[in-house]
Amino acid sequence: GGEVIKKSVWQFGQKRGRGIAQRARINGQENTVENYIPNYDMGRSELFVMKDNYTPNELEQTFTGCPLGQQWADDNMHEYGILYCQVIDNSIAYGYNNKFDVIHDQYLLREGQCHFRFQMKEKGIDPLYD
């Protein structure tokens, strides 16, 4: 069942990423690291507590507050939240630019914070699911 959830999240995320890429194109921007968040398809409320750090070809983000993670925790649905989180950001980034890779090495539901490194690679990466 977990793999079915991940594949479904992958398809959903890729579609969102393609929309972000289209928004960037409409705004006359390339699909770079720096243009990802400004063209993102979802506003970030004050319920998201995060820090962004940009370096060449990389965006590092640390979230210490996330309403999605909090809801999964409140509902004792950690397992399903982790399945979603293991795939969603990778799939959105891949849909945005197939050279955009995501390292998600900490999860709010396990370590108490989410930590991401969004990295633009030289060549296209292999999709997690197809």
Side-chain angles (χ1 to χ4, degrees):
E3 287 301 304
V4 171
I5 291 171
K6 286 181 173 184
K7 286 180 183 181
S8 298
V9 171
W10 179 263
Q11 291 173 352
F12 168 66
Q14 271 195 97
K15 185 173 182 176
R16 284 183 58 199
R18 288 190 296 270
I20 296 167
Q22 182 178 8
R23 184 175 292 112
R25 279 191 300 278
I26 288 169
N27 290 326
Q29 300 171 338
E30 295 182 16
N31 297 350
T32 64
V33 171
E34 295 78 17
N35 293 329
Y36 181 62
I37 297 299
N39 290 290
Y40 205 69
D41 65 338
M42 186 174 88
R44 298 261 169 93
S45 77
E46 68 278 352
L47 298 174
F48 286 97
V49 180
M50 75 245 169
K51 179 182 173 194
D52 294 344
N53 182 40
Y54 285 92
T55 57
N57 291 319
E58 182 173 296
L59 165 61
E60 181 179 18
Q61 290 186 311
T62 303
F63 284 78
T64 54
C66 171
L68 300 173
Q70 187 60 55
Q71 190 63 55
W72 284 312
D74 291 349
D75 293 342
N76 199 26
M77 302 290 282
H78 295 74
E79 175 186 358
Y80 299 105
I82 291 290
L83 291 172
Y84 178 86
C85 292
Q86 287 174 332
V87 177
I88 191 62
D89 292 288
N90 296 74
S91 63
I92 296 170
Y94 186 85
Y96 173 72
N97 185 326
N98 71 357
K99 296 178 183 177
F100 207 19
D101 193 20
V102 181
I103 299 167
H104 189 177
D105 58 358
Q106 293 179 348
Y107 296 88
L108 192 98
L109 292 167
R110 285 197 312 228
E111 288 86 12
Q113 71 176 18
C114 278
H115 180 256
F116 301 90
R117 291 177 62 205
F118 293 83
Q119 302 174 331
M120 194 63 72
K121 302 295 185 178
E122 292 288 323
K123 60 181 186 168
I125 60 171
D126 292 331
L128 293 178
Y129 296 95
D130 214 0

